[in-house]
Amino acid sequence: MSANPLAPPRLRFPADASALTARIWPASATRTDDGELAIGGITASDLVARFGSPLYVVDERDVQARAARVRTAFTEAFARIGTRAHVYYAAKAFLTTQVAAWMTEAGLRLDVCTAGELAVALAGGADPALLGFHGNDKSDAEIARAVEVGLGTIVLDSHEEIGRVARAAADAGTVQRVRIRINSGVHASTHEYLATAREDQKFGIPLSEAVDAAAAVRAEPSLAFVGLHSHIGSQIFDESGFREAARRLMDVHAELVASGPVPELNLGGGWGIDYTEADEAFAPEDVAEALATIVAEACTERGIPVPEIAVEPGRYIVGPAGATLYRVGTIKPVTLETDDGSSATRTYVSVDGGMSDNARPALYGADYTARLARASDAPAVLTRVVGKHCESGDIVVNDEYLPGDVRRGDLLAVAATGAYCWSLASNYNHVGRPPVVAVADGTARILVRGESIDDLLARDTGVVAG
């Protein structure tokens, strides 16, 4: 067999369509002696038998290890330049009360951006003093709640928020620590919807207005100016964007130091992970060393103290530690004409989930890696894994080589679904959101229970009680 002409250039024809590339799959993912996929010491078939499908599976030990690795990398890199680093977990990637507890146990802080995320973080035992609150349209109620619980830092996203947060803090008789989110203008190399520092979008205050914004904050007795914040986007592999954003922020940081203390600088997150073999993710140690070097050199050049640094990874910590299990349904080969006038076949493999449990392919054209849960030595065929929803864009994995004997009833696993899949899940077509299960050392436990038809009907006020 050879590569299918319908396949994109990034997708290599596999020598083994059952092989698991370690950097893409959860750390504990392996195949048993009889070839079945197991995560956390539990086979896919056992997990689905207990919890059903679709099913989000999270490798608990992998999440904890990745959180600890990031914290160690930044602590050590910035200690070498004489300062401290604070790692905030970007909770929007995936948050449950247990995840909040894992992050706290690993020594991480948390970043939240809604009242709901704040409530979950607090219910998980997070110290409010170690939380940050983001958001481009925080309600008065959200701001008041953040101030009330003693939230560590509120990130101001607009000039308007300065007065609103100041009033909330004054009403509560407290002084609220705040950062200013700066739109650096750096055009990160990522999908347009994932680039968050371009000029024509909703986040942040323009770089040219940073000094005036800081002056306005400093003029409010109920606010304490902590420093600047930058986030240039997500799923980024080109480090030049991070370097340029840091350089631009250091220029403004130095200007602000001349007129008052600026104890911290938040450089955001956004590091990409490996979803496919074509991806090349950063190691956190490399990111930490690069940013530490930039900050140290910038401070030396400007003759200013080295500030404490904060970063906000989310996807890196939970993304690779997750996988989603599906049951295969309809198999549909489709023969198409190629550019040279010949024909080729793409096999559509339908599964019992789709864009309701993974919206990222539809939103961003995101690519994923899939494998059958059982091993097979059948020749590989080009497939497109699709969902059950009434949308032609309901695609789970756009292009993947799977064994040619894929059949109805098979279990199929999609890798690296730990970030943003559960967070973006919906009830489209009145499909219940799947459960989330944590696995570790041969045991499994539910983090979030799945939704039933009864759950969906429970909120429908037109249902007549039987």
Side-chain angles (χ1 to χ4, degrees):
M1 296 290 290
S2 59
N4 189 309
L6 299 174
R10 67 157 184 84
L11 186 64
R12 294 182 296 178
F13 188 80
D16 179 2
S18 296
L20 305 176
T21 302
R23 60 190 173 88
I24 297 172
W25 291 86
S28 66
T30 187
R31 289 198 180 273
T32 63
D33 291 343
D34 61 359
E36 185 175 2
L37 173 69
I39 304 174
I42 309 175
T43 63
S45 59
D46 284 347
L47 287 168
V48 171
R50 289 179 59 187
F51 304 107
S53 66
L55 179 65
Y56 298 116
V57 181
V58 178
D59 183 336
E60 180 176 344
R61 298 286 180 258
D62 197 9
V63 172
Q64 294 167 327
R66 297 178 75 86
R69 181 180 176 185
V70 172
R71 181 174 180 270
T72 297
F74 276 86
T75 298
E76 293 181 351
F78 282 89
R80 283 192 281 273
I81 65 169
T83 191
R84 296 192 301 170
H86 307 294
V87 179
Y88 286 78
Y89 170 66
K92 64 180 181 176
F94 173 54
L95 182 64
T96 71
T97 55
Q98 188 61 66
V99 170
W102 292 343
M103 296 304 116
T104 299
E105 290 163 5
L108 272 62
R109 304 180 178 196
L110 275 81
D111 162 58
V112 299
C113 58
T114 65
E117 288 183 354
L118 174 59
V120 174
L122 294 177
D127 181 351
L130 301 181
L131 300 182
F133 199 118
H134 272 286
N136 68 295
D137 188 32
K138 306 176 192 72
S139 69
D140 289 340
E142 286 176 320
I143 292 171
R145 177 60 176 161
V147 171
E148 176 190 2
V149 301
L151 199 94
T153 312
I154 294 178
V155 181
L156 303 173
D157 199 85
S158 64
H159 292 281
E160 173 195 281
E161 278 192 353
I162 298 172
R164 293 173 60 220
V165 175
R167 286 192 295 274
D171 290 345
T174 189
V175 175
Q176 177 62 53
R177 287 163 43 95
V178 296
R179 290 191 181 96
I180 299 174
R181 178 162 180 169
I182 298 301
N183 186 338
S184 65
V186 172
H187 289 212
S189 300
T190 187
H191 190 282
E192 179 181 357
Y193 291 174
L194 297 176
T196 57
R198 297 177 182 177
E199 294 85 348
D200 189 9
Q201 52 86 42
K202 70 179 186 177
F203 292 112
I205 293 172
L207 195 67
S208 59
E209 300 173 14
V211 173
D212 288 343
V217 170
R218 285 167 164 166
E220 296 285 355
S222 61
L223 299 182
F225 178 56
V226 175
L228 303 178
H229 173 279
S230 171
H231 184 69
I232 64 173
S234 300
Q235 190 55 8
I236 300 169
F237 295 107
D238 182 358
E239 70 172 19
S240 62
F242 296 114
R243 289 179 177 275
E244 179 60 18
R247 185 191 66 78
R248 294 185 188 187
L249 253 70
M250 287 304 304
D251 285 342
V252 179
H253 178 91
E255 187 173 353
L256 293 173
V257 167
S259 55
V262 190
E264 295 182 8
L265 179 66
N266 190 318
L267 297 175
W271 328 323
I273 65 169
D274 295 322
Y275 285 101
T276 72
E277 291 190 0
D279 296 326
E280 296 182 13
F282 299 117
E285 294 81 4
D286 294 339
V287 178
E289 287 294 341
L291 292 178
T293 299
I294 292 166
V295 170
E297 290 177 350
C299 290
T300 298
E301 290 170 2
R302 294 160 178 80
I304 60 174
V306 179
E308 294 188 1
I309 295 296
V311 291
E312 296 173 349
R315 184 194 314 265
Y316 174 83
I317 291 172
V318 294
T324 305
L325 301 178
Y326 299 96
R327 180 78 67 181
V328 171
T330 301
I331 310 291
K332 186 183 296 183
V334 176
T335 301
L336 303 169
E337 184 175 331
T338 63
D339 292 340
D340 64 3
S342 60
S343 62
T345 299
R346 186 198 319 275
T347 299
Y348 279 74
V349 177
S350 298
V351 296
D352 58 352
M355 63 192 302
S356 60
D357 59 74
N358 188 350
R360 294 188 67 255
L363 282 176
Y364 316 130
D367 292 314
Y368 282 90
T369 295
R371 292 289 183 266
L372 292 184
R374 63 176 173 85
S376 170
D377 58 6
V381 297
L382 181 66
T383 64
R384 177 164 290 164
V385 180
V386 296
K388 63 182 296 177
H389 298 287
C390 295
E391 300 281 346
S392 58
D394 177 26
I395 296 170
V396 179
V397 183
N398 201 57
D399 300 284
E400 181 61 284
Y401 284 109
L402 292 175
D405 63 350
V406 56
R407 56 183 178 264
R408 172 178 286 276
D410 273 335
L411 294 181
L412 180 140
V414 176
T417 60
Y420 297 104
C421 292
W422 185 86
S423 298
L424 291 168
S426 74
N427 292 131
Y428 183 46
N429 290 150
H430 278 71
V431 171
R433 287 170 290 187
V436 185
V437 174
V439 294
D441 309 321
T443 63
R445 58 194 174 105
I446 291 181
L447 297 183
V448 183
R449 69 172 179 84
E451 292 177 318
S452 66
I453 295 296
D454 287 342
D455 290 324
L456 299 180
L457 289 173
R459 294 194 302 162
D460 190 324
T461 61
V463 175
V464 177

